[in-house]
Amino acid sequence: MTSPPDRPVCGNTIGDWLIVGDFGDGLSGSVYRVRHLSPPGLSGVLKLHRVWENGVSEKSFLAERTLAEQPPLPERMAEWLVSDSWQGHPYFVTTYLDPTPKGLSDREWMTYAFALIDLFAELNGNRLIYHRDVKPRNLRSRNGLPMLIDLGLAIPRDDDALYPLERVGSRDFIAPEILRGERYDVRSEIYSTARTLLAILPTSVKRTLSPSLFHASEQNREQRTPSWQVFRREAEADWQAHLRNRKTRLAILSAGGAAAAIFFGALAYYHYDARQIQDKSDEHYRAQSLAQHGLDAYNNHQMDKAVFYLKQAADSGCCTNSHAIGTLGDIYLRGVGVPANDKLGRHYIEEAAKLGDKDSKDILTTLNANSTCASIKVRP
């Protein structure tokens, strides 16, 4: 077995490539930003396989290298440059792409979001591949459009031999069902993409797309956006509704003279109503964010933190995350990390059941059955 060399650092060379940046270590290797020694202007990203006794990581590295050599979406992925070995360990280099853009207008961000949805619709649909690690760090841009990198966890969509029930992805963007060890499907990829868009879009665009993004990031897979086509259609409907509202506002504001006097009262009411709608949207977004923070803390066994976030979300009156509310109810019923409280537990379980959470409905059925049995026993 080849003995491990020291980990390369900035200033070292690997083959004909000078390391100018270090992106850290992934499942199957170390990732660097590099510049070619001759010609010196060529910039790339180098991935070096450095996990020597892990057959899974080697398989992942080789699969990623194959996808990098023959990208399923050439126009939306980094170009292949070269593959070689360094001190007995394989590496490959692809072109360097710019990070996710900054300072775009709302309309440009909408174009970016639609292009990202279309990218994964093509990857999952026509190219039959699941990325399985969608997150902001794995997105780059070219000419203001999204580009995809890091296919280390990608698998063929319909190949059961390469379709393990494993918990893959990044904690903040992985779908809840994958954390539970369930099978990955297109709705899992939709969830991760929606969570990624919520992380990178500016607040104004998130507010515009909040209905479609929250539907796509629903905790319950059965209630989530079922396909990329539906996701795209709902996002477009949100955007068109925003444009219609904006056109109405401009028309009212541009009215002058007598028309302005006539519409003055209506305009004041419109601004009040619009503010109310915006406030509700902000509260809804905050509640959904709190719910996700609470679920993340719960999955990390941080019960105090989980209860704090989940209770704020559930008590806000704006939270539609049935799984989060049901989880809070279950915590109180079982007394996990907090004193058991049957009354609170049942209250939150009932709220979650009303919102359609299947687990909560099952728990509520059991609670009602137990209550009925108890009442029969005490009858004279």
Side-chain angles (χ1 to χ4, degrees), residues 129-146:
I129 290 174
Y130 288 135
H131 187 276
R132 299 202 305 170
D133 194 18
V134 185
K135 58 185 178 182
R137 185 176 176 180
N138 286 340
L139 296 180
R140 293 292 185 268
S141 71
R142 177 179 290 164
N143 300 325
L145 295 176

Side-chain angles (χ1 to χ4, degrees), residues 76-317:
R76 284 287 169 262
M77 300 174 72
E79 290 87 357
W80 169 262
L81 293 179
V82 67
S83 65
D84 208 332
S85 63
W86 174 79
Q87 298 190 20
H89 300 281
Y91 69 85
F92 64 86
V93 184
T94 56
T95 52
Y96 175 78
L97 297 169
D98 293 328
T100 302
K102 305 292 184 183
L104 300 181
S105 67
D106 284 3
R107 187 177 291 274
E108 289 170 331
W109 272 118
M110 290 301 308
T111 300
Y112 184 93
F114 289 151
L116 186 63
I117 294 172
D118 292 342
L119 188 162
F120 281 106
E122 176 71 10
L123 187 69
N124 291 177
N126 295 335
R127 308 310 167 106
L128 304 178
I129 290 174
Y130 288 135
H131 187 276
R132 299 202 305 170
D133 194 18
V134 185
K135 58 185 178 182
R137 185 176 176 180
N138 286 340
L139 296 180
R140 293 292 185 268
S141 71
R142 177 179 290 164
N143 300 325
L145 295 176
M147 302 287 285
L148 191 60
I149 64 171
D150 194 351
L151 296 171
L153 295 177
I155 59 169
R157 193 185 73 182
D158 299 320
D159 192 339
D160 288 335
L162 295 174
Y163 207 174
L165 300 180
E166 56 185 356
R167 294 173 176 83
V168 294
S170 298
R171 172 69 63 177
D172 292 338
F173 304 97
I174 186 172
E177 62 269 15
I178 307 307
L179 288 173
R180 296 193 295 267
E182 299 173 13
R183 189 174 293 278
Y184 200 97
D185 69 7
V186 67
R187 290 169 295 180
S188 307
E189 197 108 306
I190 286 173
Y191 176 93
S192 299
T193 304
R195 293 284 298 166
T196 296
L197 286 171
L198 284 168
I200 65 176
L201 293 175
T203 301
S204 56
V205 179
K206 280 190 286 193
R207 184 178 296 125
T208 297
L209 293 181
S210 58
S212 55
L213 290 178
F214 287 139
H215 186 200
S217 58
E218 168 62 50
Q219 296 291 307
N220 187 329
R221 178 172 12 202
E222 299 306 318
Q223 297 177 4
R224 194 178 303 151
T225 306
S227 68
W228 292 107
Q229 290 72 24
V230 173
F231 192 4
R232 181 70 145 86
R233 188 164 62 246
E234 291 182 347
E236 285 180 340
D238 290 341
W239 176 241
Q240 291 302 320
H242 167 77
L243 293 179
R244 286 194 298 272
N245 291 337
R246 183 171 179 272
K247 185 176 180 180
T248 301
R249 290 196 300 271
L250 291 175
I252 293 174
L253 290 171
S254 63
I262 294 172
F263 285 108
F264 184 79
L267 179 60
Y269 176 79
Y270 174 82
H271 279 296
Y272 170 77
D273 191 48
R275 181 67 255 177
Q276 294 290 98
I277 293 172
Q278 181 173 317
D279 287 345
K280 289 180 180 178
S281 176
D282 289 344
E283 290 170 7
H284 179 67
Y285 176 75
R286 179 176 179 273
Q288 297 298 95
S289 179
L290 286 168
Q292 187 58 50
H293 280 303
L295 288 171
D296 290 344
Y298 178 80
N299 291 327
N300 288 324
H301 308 291
Q302 300 170 314
M303 291 306 162
D304 289 344
K305 186 176 179 181
V307 170
F308 175 78
Y309 283 127
L310 291 174
K311 198 168 188 311
Q312 285 195 69
D315 292 345
S316 69

Side-chain angles (χ1 to χ4, degrees), residues 16-18 20 34-43:
D16 296 328
W17 300 88
L18 173 67
V20 295
V34 294
R35 188 171 63 244
H36 200 265
L37 296 174
S38 180
L42 183 60
S43 184

